[in-house]
């Protein structure tokens, strides 16, 4: 199995957007992939297709229902907060070992290309005992690190890289995104990060439709898979 763990230096860096574009490109090339979103929080049940899991399902060409969401998402919470906080407030106990077994089982059964999308950033808690970094390490998947251009992003990126490497998590590439039209341009961040790392640094500009996504999704698929 080949795959990546899609993570970020923080929130709102475009993890789901990038994941969905990669899924569509893989399908276009005849390599349908599995996407997993082990934990999801902050969504509206009335707009399930707009949730992270819903967008991943649509990119895989699957219908969006409560049943299909539960097939790729271990636990979900409507409250807009970190999954472990939302779970605690909902009175739900999140057992990391159970979540890990669920993810491994899905990946092993699929056997092909897979994307696992984390919740929040590299060190964001998933449960009250484990973070995204723990899940990356235990699944033994390389990281695709999402970065947005904002003041402090270079420091956050370099910190994330040091933490990933300290746990021997391979970093496949850095993807600089422009998640909002008024966000800082990706090109300047790519230039700045290039002074500090030799990792592949790619760009996903602000999306105005599938055509925009296809320009960068194709090269990214070729590099990752």
């Amino acid at each position: 199995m080949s795959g990546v763990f899609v993570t970020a230096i923080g929130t709102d860096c475009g993890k789901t957007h990038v994941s969905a574009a990669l899924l569509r490109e893989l399908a276009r090339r005849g390599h349908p992939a599995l996407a997993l979103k082990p934990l999801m929080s902050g969504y509206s049940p009335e707009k399930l297709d707009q949730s992270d899991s819903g967008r991943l399902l649509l990119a895989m060409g699957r219908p969006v229902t409560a049943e299909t969401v539960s097939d790729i998402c271990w636990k979900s919470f409507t409250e807009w907060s970190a999954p472990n906080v939302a779970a605690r407030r909902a009175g739900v106990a999140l057992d990391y070992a159970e979540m890990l077994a669920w993810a491994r089982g899905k990946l092993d059964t699929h056997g092909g290309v897979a994307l696992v999308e984390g919740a929040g950033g590299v060190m964001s808690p998933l449960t009250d005992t484990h973070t995204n970094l723990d899940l990356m390490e235990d699944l033994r998947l390389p990281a695709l690190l999402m970065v947005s251009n904002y003041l402090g992003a270079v420091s956050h990126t370099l910190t994330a890289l040091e933490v990933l490497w300290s746990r021997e998590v391979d970093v496949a590439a850095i993807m600089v995104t422009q998640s909002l039209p008024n966000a800082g341009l990706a090109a300047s961040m790519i230039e700045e990060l290039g002074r500090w790392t030799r990792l592949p640094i790619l760009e996903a500009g602000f999306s105005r439709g599938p055509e925009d996504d296809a320009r960068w999704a194709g090269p990214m698929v070729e590099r990752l898979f």
Side-chain angles (χ1 to χ4, degrees):
M1 179 200 74
S2 62
V4 292
F5 193 109
V6 183
T7 188
I9 62 173
T11 58
D12 296 326
C13 288
K15 294 190 303 295
T16 304
H17 173 70
V18 169
S19 297
L22 294 177
L23 289 168
R24 288 192 295 268
E25 181 64 19
L26 284 162
R28 188 186 71 81
R29 294 176 179 229
H31 302 292
L34 170 69
L36 298 178
K37 178 81 177 182
L39 287 171
M40 178 173 71
S41 58
Y43 72 96
S44 170
E46 292 76 28
K47 299 178 179 179
L48 203 54
D49 60 332
Q50 298 177 27
S51 68
D52 290 350
S53 294
R55 291 170 64 190
L56 295 177
L57 284 164
L58 290 173
M60 286 188 282
R62 298 181 59 184
V64 180
T65 66
E67 291 73 23
T68 57
V69 166
S70 65
D71 189 46
I72 69 165
C73 181
W74 180 60
K75 302 285 184 184
S76 63
F77 305 93
T78 57
E79 181 179 330
W80 192 268
S81 59
N84 65 316
V85 175
R88 200 183 314 133
R89 290 176 178 169
V92 176
L94 296 178
D95 184 278
Y96 177 77
E98 183 180 338
M99 179 178 65
L100 177 60
W102 174 87
R104 282 176 170 164
K106 293 287 185 180
L107 295 173
D108 290 344
T109 300
H110 175 66
V113 177
L115 288 81
V116 178
E117 183 185 320
V122 170
M123 288 295 292
S124 294
L126 292 175
T127 70
D128 285 341
T129 59
H130 291 75
T131 68
N132 283 278
L133 181 60
D134 294 309
L135 188 57
M136 274 180 267
E137 181 182 29
D138 288 336
L139 291 178
R140 298 183 180 180
L141 289 174
L144 175 58
L145 184 63
M146 300 290 106
V147 174
S148 289
N149 187 358
Y150 59 84
L151 186 62
V154 171
S155 174
H156 295 167
T157 303
L158 298 179
T159 300
L161 290 174
E162 287 294 328
V163 169
L164 288 162
W165 289 331
S166 74
R167 298 280 284 272
E168 299 184 348
V169 174
D170 182 42
V171 181
I174 296 171
M175 175 69 85
V176 180
T177 65
Q178 189 182 357
S179 55
L180 298 171
N182 60 347
L185 296 176
S188 58
M189 178 58 64
I190 290 172
E191 179 183 2
E192 196 60 37
L193 288 175
R195 302 174 188 273
W196 298 96
T197 177
R198 295 185 180 276
L199 286 170
I201 307 173
L202 302 179
E203 175 183 356
F206 179 71
S207 176
R208 293 171 178 82
E211 297 80 9
D212 284 349
D213 297 341
R215 279 193 282 271
W216 55 262
M220 195 63 177
V221 162
E222 292 170 4
R223 180 175 293 275
L224 291 174
F225 309 106

